[in-house]
Amino acid sequence: MYDEPALESKVTNKDIKIAARNVQVFYGDTHAIKDVNVEIQDKTVTAFIGPSGCGKSTFLRCLNRMNDTIDICRVEGDILLDSEDIYDKRVDPVQLRAKVGMVFQKPNPFPKSIYDNVAYGPRIHGLAKNKSDLDEIVEKSLRRGAIWDEVKDRLHAPGTGLSGGQQQRLCIARAVATEPEVLLMDEPCSALDPIATGQVEELIDELRDSYSVVIVTHSMQQAARVSQKTAFFHLGNLVEYGETSQIFTNPVDSRTESYITGRIG
Amino acid sequence: MTDATASHTPQPGQGGETAKSSLFTVSPRTRRRNASERRFKAYGVTAILLGLLFLCFLVYSILSKGLPAFTRTVAEVELTLTQAQIDEAESTLLKTGAYRDLMIAELGKVLGDVEPDAIQRIVGNPGAMLRNFYTANPDAIGDTVAFELPTASRVDGYFKGRITREGQANSTFLTPADLDLADRMQEEGIIKREFNWQFLTGAEASDDNPVAAGIGVSVVGSLYMMFVVLALSLPIGVAASIYLEEFAPKNRFTDLIEVNISNLAAVPSIVFGILGLAFFIQFAGLPRSAPLVGGLVLTLMTLPTIIISTRASLRAVPPSIRDAALGVGASKMQSVFHHVLPLALPGILTGTIIGLAQALGETAPLLLIGMVGFVALRYPDTIASGFLDSNSAMPAQIYTWAARADQIFYEKAWGGIIVLLVFLLTMNIIAVILRRRFERRW
């Protein structure tokens, strides 16, 4: 990519990483996502905001086919990752999820050691040839997750013994260990205190150098702080999508304005 | 409240106090609420106390009736039999009777002027044991051998208090005079009480020699069955639960299977016995009374228990763990086997052991496939043949003893219950330890 010194909130002409076209999602008879078209850029943080139940998490989970595990969920339309339809019959969702990593709302480390938490992905995907390779990947990922210094002396302690913020950063380290191209984050800070939130936000900003990050958040301040692009969802519709600065300062749609000023939500 | 106060004629100085209640006076409503709470607690305590009372009674009666089975009364006698005496005994029609008479003659010499029949009534029928010894050890012929042979079951009962002098007043099997003789033999050290290893290691015995009966062979039969049950029901049950819980589509067919599994857990065990008889023995042609067949029948019974508890423990694993595994690109199978199953393991193990304990105490289906107590007559010749050799199981053996005439079998039935309970307690303790050890928090 062009390593131009972009302004904090200025979006440049980067590649399109994910393109969604006319995406519809149904839970049984409920039409949860209605006709969403969006283009998510590479090496950018894109925030999905909107009131509860507006479909932003549902749409996020479509991007790595986590909705496949829900029997009654049906997805229509095209979602292209690097111009390849991820809902094509030939696509194995397991391979897709290796490319599109995910961090969940609640920190969910495996009840194993910190080392094993991070090493699990590389192990099942065969990313390391030997033990020292794996050690290197684990260290690199934990450094990326900005948690290496805190855990380097106790890599074999259980991951569940860490504090909430540390657990979430461990989960981020686990997600980046498989070398994904896109990182999906579903309200990653909702279970964290302000200090841990600050650490994770800082981390998200750093991750932008290597990945396309999509983050769902309930906090508009967070969206404003970490994202370059923002999408506002309301009742299953994508109401407005644009540069974060524009969405927050000069929204086009009246619903967006009502939401960010606190009148609906 | 307000209506009540309004109907009263307001008295001077009190109007303000009725409207404002004090925290120190308990209102009638609170009093009623507290009373009903106290009543409920009292019901609970009563129920628990009643339960404890019955438990104490059960433990007491089991121990008081069963513990005597672990001791036995023996008569000591030193015999020096010559080859000629053996040959003579072997040439008679009632060979064991001849051996017994040799022993009685020896005891008669020690005791002096005593009727041989009286000695016989005391020592019972130990001839077979003597004969077996000399058949097995021909070298001992001509040497002096000290024997400790169990006495007749009534004498055993007399020393354990099961039989009283008054009760024997008109008995021809053991007269009061015989009891005097038994007392004398005890004083002279001929009759002693000792720990009854034979009860733990022995086999089922006939009515001729009831004192020799032991539970050892049927313990072995039970262990063989438990091995079959464990080897079949754990893998089948866990695989079925994982498939149903994690992979199977939710539709009417799987719903039907689910309902049927729950119903199977409630089917009376004797129905499984009939099924085992019809299928494994009559149709598949497996041998009767074999622990293999017993194990297969008990597997059918245990499977629903294991499947239900395994599914419950799989369901108890938080979905976030599955999401986490899928999120880093694990396949469904990897997420189940690497993450979900280890977390469900304590629950699965506990369910399995409880299922096994249930199977261990099951009697009815075993009676239908011929694993009655009478067949537990010898240990299997080899380890492998134990699966197909006729055998019984602990509960079936206890059931058989409880139904037999000689009073000593009654004592043995209670003793057998103690042995069975020791096994069950051990299994439950193992279940608790395993659960503690593998329990992990998330």
Side-chain angles (χ1 to χ4, degrees), chain A residues 94 97 104 108 110-111 120 125, chain B residues 320 323-324 326 328-329 338-339 343:
Chain A
V94 169
R97 288 179 203 136
F104 297 86
N108 56 354
F110 300 127
Y120 182 69
H125 295 300
Chain B
S320 66
D323 281 351
L326 294 178
V328 294
H338 295 169
H339 301 289
L343 288 174

Side-chain angles (χ1 to χ4, degrees), chain A residues 4-258:
Chain A
E4 58 183 335
L7 288 170
E8 197 51 36
S9 293
K10 185 165 184 303
V11 176
T12 50
N13 298 326
K14 291 176 177 172
D15 287 353
I16 302 299
K17 191 66 190 175
I18 298 176
R21 293 195 194 124
N22 305 326
V23 174
Q24 323 277 346
V25 180
F26 301 88
Y27 284 120
D29 294 332
T30 318
H31 198 170
I33 296 282
K34 296 162 194 157
D35 216 17
V36 167
N37 287 285
V38 69
E39 290 185 336
I40 292 164
Q41 293 177 330
D42 202 6
K43 310 220 190 290
T44 306
V45 177
T46 307
F48 290 175
I49 61 170
S52 292
C54 67
K56 53 196 189 307
S57 283
T58 300
F59 183 68
L60 189 78
R61 288 168 70 93
C62 289
L63 300 182
N64 70 343
R65 291 182 62 172
M66 282 300 276
N67 283 337
D68 287 15
T69 57
I70 301 164
D71 281 339
I72 54 164
C73 182
R74 194 156 47 86
V75 180
E76 285 172 12
D78 298 324
I79 298 176
L80 308 176
L81 174 70
D82 292 332
S83 324
E84 290 174 339
D85 184 3
I86 64 169
Y87 280 90
D88 193 284
K89 278 199 203 78
R90 289 167 293 179
V91 173
D92 187 322
V94 169
Q95 253 172 297
L96 169 70
R97 288 179 203 136
K99 274 191 171 190
V100 184
M102 188 151 190
V103 176
F104 297 86
Q105 185 170 358
K106 217 178 112 217
N108 56 354
F110 300 127
K112 297 172 186 277
S113 72
I114 293 168
Y115 184 94
D116 286 336
N117 259 288
V118 181
Y120 182 69
R123 268 193 194 127
I124 59 171
H125 295 300
L127 298 182
K129 283 186 215 74
N130 51 43
K131 181 82 174 71
S132 61
D133 258 13
L134 193 61
D135 288 346
E136 211 174 292
I137 292 176
V138 169
E139 181 178 340
K140 199 176 79 189
S141 309
L142 286 170
R143 280 188 195 284
R144 277 238 183 98
I147 191 179
W148 169 253
D149 290 330
E150 290 158 66
V151 301
K152 63 183 174 196
D153 301 323
R154 45 169 174 157
L155 286 177
H156 295 284
T160 42
L162 298 172
S163 74
Q166 288 173 324
Q167 285 190 11
Q168 194 61 298
R169 279 179 285 150
L170 175 64
C171 291
I172 293 172
R174 180 177 69 191
V176 300
T178 55
E179 299 288 342
E181 295 164 21
V182 180
L183 202 53
L184 308 178
M185 296 181 154
D186 190 358
E187 296 179 42
C189 299
S190 64
L192 305 184
D193 68 20
I195 295 171
T197 302
Q199 288 164 331
V200 171
E201 282 178 5
E202 220 169 279
L203 176 59
I204 292 170
D205 200 50
E206 285 165 25
L207 292 174
R208 180 160 61 94
D209 296 341
S210 334
Y211 311 101
S212 167
V213 179
V214 184
I215 176 171
V216 165
T217 178
H218 267 297
S219 154
M220 282 174 281
Q221 292 87 335
Q222 183 172 57
R225 281 194 299 267
V226 299
S227 69
Q228 289 79 51
K229 283 260 191 176
T230 297
F232 172 63
F233 285 79
H234 187 241
L235 301 176
N237 296 303
L238 176 62
V239 174
E240 194 168 348
Y241 176 54
E243 295 189 19
T244 301
S245 52
Q246 174 254 313
I247 293 270
F248 280 96
T249 53
N250 191 19
V252 175
D253 195 287
S254 60
R255 286 171 292 179
T256 315
E257 194 186 353
S258 303

